[in-house]
Structure formats: C-alpha cells, structure tokens
C-alpha cells in the first residue's frame, strides 16, 4: 500500500517549473524523527540522525557522502557510511533534473558488518519560489543485506543559503531467511553554498 501511495505521489508531482537554480553544493543535518523496522510479525521503532553533503565537480558531476546513525527499541543499532559520485542533467527532460548516484556503502546492523555498493536514480524539479521536490529509487547490495527503497521529499529555501528538508523513505531489506521492511520520516536543515 505504501508503495502505491508513493507511486501516486510521483504521478501527481507537478514538474512544470524549470530545474534551473537547484543546488548541488550543500551540507545537511537530518533528524530521522521516526523510523520503523518490521520483520517476522514484530517491529522496532527508533530515531537518529544523518549528516551529509553534496559537492559539485562541474555542471554535471558531483561528489557526495553521508553518515547515518539510528537506534531502535531493544538495543538494535544501524550505522551507515556512504560515499560516491553522482550525475545530473535536465538537457533532455524539459527542465526536470534526472540524477543518478553510485556509492560505496559500509553498513553495521546488529551483528552484521559489511560493505558493498548503492545505486540511486531519480528526478528533481523546482516546484515554486524556493521550493523543489524529488522522488527516487535507491538500491543497495551490502553482503547479505540487499535493499530497495523509494524516497520522496521536498526542500524549501527560506533564504538564499538555508533551507528545510522533509523526506519519506519506504522499502525493505532482503536478508537470509526473509525480509525487513523499513519506513523513515526525516526532517532536516540544509546549508547551500
């Protein structure tokens, strides 16, 4: 059901405004206000933070990295380090930025400690004065932990440098013997430079 709502939001997202002026140079601190893992009929709630940044190399390519630290009920922790390179363009899309990211991922979840890669593809567009939105699909393959997640979010700049970010993530990890569903609600503060 959650994925259906997310796909409906994608279709309803108004991409009429041009993507010019979107920043790919920023640092961001997020509070993951509500995160939930569900597996085998049980669930664990938690919260945490993410610290990251994106730095343009030129008009098309950028470097990116972030650190995420989540704590869940029952003492389960999830830490992720992600570094990589991305590309974006609106040359053939009528003003909507299409982007893709390739990352190295280092994940610790409970007793699991492994590394692998991530791949994210999505679209981002200006939606109005100081407002942009995005939707993406993020896939990661880290040892025995393989995941696919949809993200939808918005960024509202309340002055030229500072903005507030909100994001919803939903998807699941495939693990030996089953899967773990994950849902996050994130609020953040971004500094554009």
């Amino acid at each position: 059901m959650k994925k259906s709502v997310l796909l409906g939001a994608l279709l309803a997202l108004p991409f009429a405004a041009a993507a010019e002026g979107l920043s790919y140079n920023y640092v961001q601190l997020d509070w993951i206000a509500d995160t939930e893992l569900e597996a085998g009929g049980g669930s664990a709630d938690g919260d945490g933070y993410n610290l990251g940044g994106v730095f343009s190399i030129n008009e098309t390519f950028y470097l990116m990295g972030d650190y995420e630290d989540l704590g869940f009920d029952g003492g389960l922790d999830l830490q992720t380090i992600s570094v990589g390179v991305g590309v974006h363009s609106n040359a053939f899309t009528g003003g909507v930025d299409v982007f893709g990211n390739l990352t190295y991922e280092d994940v610790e979840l409970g007793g699991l400690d492994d590394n692998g890669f991530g791949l994210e593809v999505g679209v981002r567009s200006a939606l109005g004065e100081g407002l942009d939105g995005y939707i993406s699909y993020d896939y990661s393959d880290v040892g025995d932990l393989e995941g696919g997640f949809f993200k939808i979010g918005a960024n509202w700049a309340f002055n030229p440098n500072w903005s507030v970010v909100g994001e919803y993530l939903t998807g699941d990890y495939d693990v030996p013997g089953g899967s773990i569903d994950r849902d996050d609600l994130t609020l953040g503060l971004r500094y554009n430079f």
Side-chain angles (χ1 to χ4, degrees):
M1 176 66 180
K2 295 174 196 167
K3 291 180 178 109
S4 299
V5 170
L6 191 59
L7 290 175
L10 170 62
L11 296 174
L13 201 57
F15 289 120
E20 295 175 20
L22 297 177
S23 174
Y24 287 89
N25 283 302
Y26 59 84
V27 292
Q28 183 171 319
L29 178 61
D30 296 320
W31 172 45
I32 302 167
D34 183 29
T35 183
E36 181 180 24
L37 297 178
E38 291 184 37
S43 68
D45 292 321
D47 63 359
Y49 69 92
N50 183 298
L51 176 63
V54 174
F55 309 96
S56 290
I57 301 170
N58 58 34
E59 290 184 11
T60 303
F61 293 94
Y62 53 88
L63 300 175
M64 57 187 300
D66 64 49
Y67 173 75
E68 181 176 72
D69 190 353
L70 301 175
F72 294 90
D73 299 339
L76 181 67
D77 292 324
L78 171 65
Q79 288 93 28
T80 305
I81 296 172
S82 176
V83 293
V85 63
V87 60
H88 72 97
S89 177
N90 63 9
F92 305 104
T93 58
V96 176
D97 264 16
V98 176
F99 66 88
N101 303 321
L102 178 61
T103 55
Y104 165 81
E105 306 281 329
D106 184 65
V107 175
E108 292 182 33
L109 174 62
L112 172 74
D113 183 1
D114 216 333
N115 56 60
F117 73 93
L119 180 63
E120 181 178 14
V121 293
V123 292
R124 182 178 176 207
S125 179
L127 301 175
E129 186 68 31
L131 180 66
D132 70 85
Y134 62 92
I135 189 162
S136 69
Y137 179 75
D138 192 352
Y139 169 81
S140 61
D141 189 346
V142 179
D144 289 334
L145 191 67
E146 184 178 342
F149 300 92
F150 289 98
K151 297 179 188 176
I152 187 168
N155 173 51
W156 175 66
F158 56 87
N159 75 32
N161 295 108
W162 292 97
S163 57
V164 177
V165 180
E167 180 180 277
Y168 175 69
L169 173 145
T170 186
D172 56 58
Y173 296 109
D174 290 327
V175 294
S179 67
I180 302 171
D181 293 335
R182 178 177 172 183
D183 293 291
D184 291 357
L185 181 60
T186 300
L187 300 173
L189 185 63
R190 177 182 294 180
Y191 179 76
N192 299 287
F193 55 92

